[in-house]
Each structure stands twice: as structure tokens, then as C-alpha cells.
Amino acid sequence: MADPDLYGLEMLWKLEKGNVSTKSDLLIVFVHWVLTKNSFRCVGVGDDKTLNDDIERSELLPEGWNESHESYNLRYAIGTELYILHGTVSKDTMICNLLQAKTLNVSNIAFNLKEAVCGINGDSINTLLKDINAQVSLVKNNLLNPIVGGTPTTAGTQTEAQQGASSSVPSNIPPPGGNRVQQNPYYMPPRIPVGRGDLDPLGRLGGGMLLDGPRNAFPNFGPVPQPRPRFDPFGPNMNRFNRPGPDNDHLPPPGYDDMFM
């Protein structure tokens, strides 16, 4: 007697086994059966994210579901919600994604074709899938539950999840806007090339050919008095400035002997 949890799978296999020519085809038949057993109904092929109310819903696979044996796109509905099953084959691996069209939530599962499928020719699909009950649990836990009853990832992070699901963000990388110096002791500020400031005479690049004003040079000490220009009086009426005598500019250099001085 067949396992009651597999009810309907043998009938679907009898309908589709003549269309199955690859191991990935067989797995799509299997995943489709798991979806329909959990209230999903197929509404056609493609990746159109609109759902018409009058579209036919079926537990069977639509015509042309495996025109490409390397890429599959099937549309499903539960009530008014649309879902898209996308399968991609790369060498001995097939990755299936289930996308919820409205929220763009997505789940995924990966199959090793050599280990999951024993063969494609046989009257019973139970003999073609290795440990079929375990694979049913994997599809439910990885493909269905994160979308229907769990916390899914989003389509924007799906690529990163496929590249390395176990990868995580290093703890020493601060969040945007954080104090990078305090949170990451290995952080070094970007270096400014030597001479870059000379290209900016206003000093916006950390220096320049023009001096900064006193307010910019001493931002924490308030206004700084502006230096007054130096003025050395000259002319025949030097005494009106109450000068005691000639300044250093008028004296001969030390040791200078010139009788005409």
C-alpha cells in the first residue's frame, strides 16, 4: 500500500512520465506535486506577475512546462496570491526558487541531481527518487514554509544567499552612519595624495596655496585679531614721529668700514 502522504503522486507520474527526459524534469514533477498537495494551483507557464480572476487553475502541469530542460518557470496561485516557481539547472545541481509576486518574498532549495534521482525510467516514481519522504520534508521546510508560514528572504538578497548561505557580515564592519574609528580599530582614514592641496587654492582639500582666514584656522578660540600692516616712516621730517634715532635699517652692518658712509 502506498504511503498516504504520497497520494496523487503516482497518478501525476503516469500522466507525465512520457514527457520526462531528464532528472531535472522528474524533480519539477515532484516539486509541482508537493505544491499542489499544499493548496497551490498551477495557472500556467512564464514569469508574468499579474493574476487574472478568470484564469484556469489546475493540479496538472501545463502544456510546455519543460520546453527547456535547463530553466523552468511555472505560475501558481493560492486564493488571490500569485507565486512563481523558477528552476535553474547547472551541471549536477538544480536550484528552485519560489517567489511571492506581491511581496517579492522568495525561498529556495537546491537538489543534487545525482543523489536525489536514481533514474527517470520506471513505472513508480517512488523507486526513482531516493528517500522520497525525506525529500518531501525538505521541500516543505525550505521552499513552502518560508513563504507560506515563515520568515522568508527577499528577492533583493536572493543572489547573495545562493552564493553563500552560511556567510555573515563581519562584526567589525560598522553600520552606515556609525563611528567607524570606534567600532573598527583597523579602520584608517583615506589618504590625500601629496600636493593635492596645491591644486585647490581655497584649501577645501586640506590645505592650499592661500592661507586660511583666522576664523577657519582657530575655530574653537573665537575671533583672532587681524594683524595690522607695518609702516616704516621715511622722509626728511623723521623727528615728528618722536623717533629716538635711526633704527636698525639705517645703521651700517657690524664691522663695515667706509670712510664715505
Side-chain angles (χ1 to χ4, degrees), residues 125-141:
I125 195 172
N126 291 343
T127 62
L128 302 178
L129 286 171
K130 182 178 180 180
D131 198 354
I132 188 170
N133 289 320
Q135 295 199 51
V136 170
S137 298
L138 289 175
V139 173
K140 287 183 178 180
N141 294 334

